[in-house]
Amino acid sequence: PGPAAAPGQFVAVVTWGDGPTSNATVGSGTFTATHTYRDDNPSNTASDPYAVSVTVTDGDAGSGSLGGVTVTV
């Protein structure tokens, strides 16, 4: 689970598909998160797909998720 949101606020947790996650506070309905993919996995390939997902939680413990997005790096 990600960080708790204060009442009236939202927190987004981005799962990048290669292990790490990033937390971001949602402001005005948007958020920004950045991530650097290290070495490709499996090694010795020109590019690799990663499944990225985002879960947004509000201060009342409600949440919603979006998955099924694949990035190729």
Side-chain angles (χ1 to χ4, degrees), residues 1-5 11-15 21-24 55-57 61 63 65:
V11 174
V13 177
V14 181
T15 303
T21 61
S22 295
N23 301 328
T55 299
V56 177
T57 304
S63 67
S65 296

Side-chain angles (χ1 to χ4, degrees), residues 32-64:
T32 301
T34 60
H35 177 67
T36 300
Y37 287 91
R38 301 291 178 200
D39 193 5
D40 62 336
N41 184 18
S43 296
N44 299 319
T45 56
S47 62
D48 300 291
Y50 295 94
V52 177
S53 64
V54 177
T55 299
V56 177
T57 304
D58 66 19
D60 298 319
S63 67

